[in-house]
């Protein structure tokens, strides 16, 4: 199978084989996309990937959705992000990342102004969104739907580069204006009004 510029091992490859393959690809700087969705990647594997990612200069897209990454794995990935200059897209949806891991990721993304898309849908953040998210000034897309959020910081409304902000399915999110906003623009406006109200 030709891999070209994308790391996409077959979905049925045992976890350890796939992990070794991807780490080898990361160390050889031969791929622009790291895609290990649905590979049962947990904190130990995320930590190994993070170590390999630190020395990589080519990966632009990190896709680790539908895995078992928790706070410790997210923190290890955040540390790697702080040393990585080429990442633009980070997809960590459908894991088990809580506020501690999400805060570390947001802080790392804020310090590396090149990331424009962050996907943390279907994780375990809550009840409030960690403060470092207010510093994500270069993001054009933020997906935080289906977490355990009951409030969003008003400062999120100041992220003027956001073209897509998805917050639905955070069942207890208040005020109601946040859950009824029809567009990202309306949602950001509701957040700003929350700050002045």
């Amino acid at each position: 199978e030709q891999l070209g510029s994308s790391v996409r091992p077959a979905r049925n490859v045992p976890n350890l084989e796939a992990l070794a393959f991807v780490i080898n690809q990361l160390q050889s700087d031969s791929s622009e996309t790291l895609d290990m969705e649905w590979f049962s990647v947990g904190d130990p594997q995320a930590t190994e990937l993070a170590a390999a990612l630190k020395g990589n200069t080519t990966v632009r897209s990190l896709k680790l959705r539908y895995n078992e990454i928790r706070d410790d794995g997210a923190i290890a990935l955040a540390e790697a992000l702080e040393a990585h200059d080429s990442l633009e897209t980070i997809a960590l949806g459908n894991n088990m990342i809580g506020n501690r891991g999400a805060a570390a990721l947001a802080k790392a993304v804020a310090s590396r102004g090149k990331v424009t898309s962050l996907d943390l849908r279907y994780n375990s953040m809550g009840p409030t969104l960690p403060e470092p998210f207010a510093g994500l000034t270069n993001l054009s897309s933020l997906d935080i739907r289906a977490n355990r959020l009951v409030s969003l910081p008003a400062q999120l409304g100041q992220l003027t580069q956001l073209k897509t902000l998805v917050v639905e399915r955070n069942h207890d999110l208040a005020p109601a204006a946040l859950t009824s906003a029809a567009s990202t623009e309306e949602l950001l406006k509701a957040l700003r009004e929350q700050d002045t109200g």
Side-chain angles (χ1 to χ4, degrees):
E1 179 181 332
Q2 287 284 37
L3 291 173
S5 65
S6 180
V7 175
R8 290 189 60 112
R11 296 289 188 234
N12 296 328
V13 174
N15 189 3
L16 296 178
E17 278 184 48
L19 183 64
F21 174 81
V22 170
I23 287 172
N24 183 47
Q25 292 293 310
L26 287 171
Q27 291 170 339
S28 68
D29 268 351
S30 62
S31 299
E32 291 184 3
T33 300
L34 187 158
D35 182 0
M36 287 194 76
E37 295 180 348
W38 296 98
F39 273 85
S40 299
V41 172
D43 287 347
Q45 295 83 17
T47 301
E48 288 184 58
L49 287 170
L53 190 60
K54 283 181 184 179
N56 179 282
T57 60
T58 59
V59 171
R60 293 173 39 179
S61 178
L62 177 65
K63 297 180 181 180
L64 289 167
R65 290 184 288 223
Y66 303 101
N67 281 296
E68 300 166 10
I69 300 170
R70 296 175 185 268
D71 284 339
D72 289 342
I75 290 168
L77 289 168
E79 289 170 3
L81 297 178
E82 289 176 352
H84 202 284
D85 288 326
S86 61
L87 267 172
E88 298 171 3
T89 302
I90 300 170
L92 289 165
N94 299 80
N95 278 285
M96 296 175 253
I97 300 168
N99 277 16
R100 198 168 53 91
L105 286 165
K107 184 178 176 189
V109 167
S111 74
R112 310 306 295 174
K114 199 163 186 179
V115 175
T116 58
S117 178
L118 180 59
D119 177 355
L120 288 170
R121 70 181 109 177
Y122 291 94
N123 272 287
S124 300
M125 291 185 293
T128 59
L129 190 67
E131 283 191 33
F133 278 80
L136 298 175
T137 57
N138 288 326
L139 280 189
S140 62
S141 177
L142 176 60
D143 191 338
I144 52 175
R145 79 181 96 178
N147 276 276
R148 298 175 181 162
L149 299 170
V150 297
S151 67
L152 297 174
Q155 297 87 344
L156 211 55
Q158 304 304 320
L159 300 181
T160 58
Q161 297 296 319
L162 275 179
K163 303 296 179 230
T164 305
L165 175 58
V166 185
V167 299
E168 63 208 25
R169 295 192 177 178
N170 283 292
H171 298 291
D172 295 322
L173 193 58
L178 299 180
T179 57
S180 63
S183 68
T184 295
E185 187 176 304
E186 287 181 19
L187 179 55
L188 293 173
K189 181 180 177 190
L191 284 164
R192 287 189 297 272
E193 289 172 356
Q194 171 183 304
D195 194 28
T196 60

